[in-house]
Amino acid sequence: MDLNSLPTEVILTHPRQTLGSVCLDWTPQPGHYLNWNGQTYTVLERRHRYQLKSGRYRLHKISLYVQSVERPEDKTLIDGHWVIGDASCQFNAHSELMRCAVNPSGPCNTCRFYEPI
């Protein structure tokens, strides 16, 4: 079965509600952004749902748990994945979900705590 043909349920984590279902042409990982009805969400978790048919478990659908965010403009590519903020700063978390501990909302270019690695 083609993974891209499976229905994907999009669930908002807070407040907990289902936003709807869609068949995506890509496989979103935690940290990726998803545009849905004009709003941007970040994927926090992906769960696979299986169904027992004829004595075998088959992938039935995928659930994406998302959180509403504003897409950050300052991203850096490190070792093949995107991180939020300026990765040359000592305090950068090197994460797709969080910028840093001292200035998590950013922006990095005017941060008074910036220290190069």
Side-chain angles (χ1 to χ4, degrees), residues 89-107:
C89 179
Q90 175 179 337
F91 298 111
N92 188 279
H94 291 226
S95 168
E96 298 171 331
L97 300 174
M98 186 172 82
R99 181 184 316 271
C100 70
V102 295
N103 188 15
S105 60

Side-chain angles (χ1 to χ4, degrees), residues 1 49-54 56-60:
M1 177 179 286
R49 308 286 185 192
Y50 293 89
Q51 186 175 39
L52 183 63
K53 267 190 172 177
S54 303
R56 297 181 68 182
Y57 283 101
R58 296 175 191 251
L59 189 56
H60 177 64

Side-chain angles (χ1 to χ4, degrees), residues 6-11 17-22 36 49 61-66:
L6 292 174
T8 302
E9 182 181 19
V10 181
I11 302 167
Q17 68 183 36
T18 299
L19 298 177
S21 293
V22 67
W36 180 273
R49 308 286 185 192
K61 72 176 181 177
I62 297 172
S63 296
L64 294 179
Y65 292 85
V66 298

Side-chain angles (χ1 to χ4, degrees):
M1 177 179 286
D2 185 18
L3 197 65
N4 295 333
S5 68
L6 292 174
T8 302
E9 182 181 19
V10 181
I11 302 167
L12 186 64
T13 57
H14 185 75
R16 182 75 146 220
Q17 68 183 36
T18 299
L19 298 177
S21 293
V22 67
C23 289
L24 299 175
D25 60 352
W26 59 289
T27 307
Q29 300 291 330
H32 287 169
Y33 294 101
L34 175 70
N35 290 322
W36 180 273
N37 295 333
Q39 177 67 36
T40 301
Y41 299 94
T42 186
V43 177
L44 300 177
E45 185 177 345
R46 184 183 75 196
R47 293 184 186 171
H48 295 163
R49 308 286 185 192
Y50 293 89
Q51 186 175 39
L52 183 63
K53 267 190 172 177
S54 303
R56 297 181 68 182
Y57 283 101
R58 296 175 191 251
L59 189 56
H60 177 64
K61 72 176 181 177
I62 297 172
S63 296
L64 294 179
Y65 292 85
V66 298
Q67 177 179 347
S68 178
V69 295
E70 288 189 30
R71 186 179 285 233
E73 297 298 323
D74 55 339
K75 297 191 313 186
T76 308
L77 184 65
I78 294 193
D79 297 329
H81 71 279
W82 289 97
V83 298
I84 298 175
D86 185 355
S88 67
C89 179
Q90 175 179 337
F91 298 111
N92 188 279
H94 291 226
S95 168
E96 298 171 331
L97 300 174
M98 186 172 82
R99 181 184 316 271
C100 70
V102 295
N103 188 15
S105 60
C108 292
N109 60 355
T110 59
C111 180
R112 63 186 176 119
F113 300 105
Y114 175 81
E115 290 184 27
I117 296 177

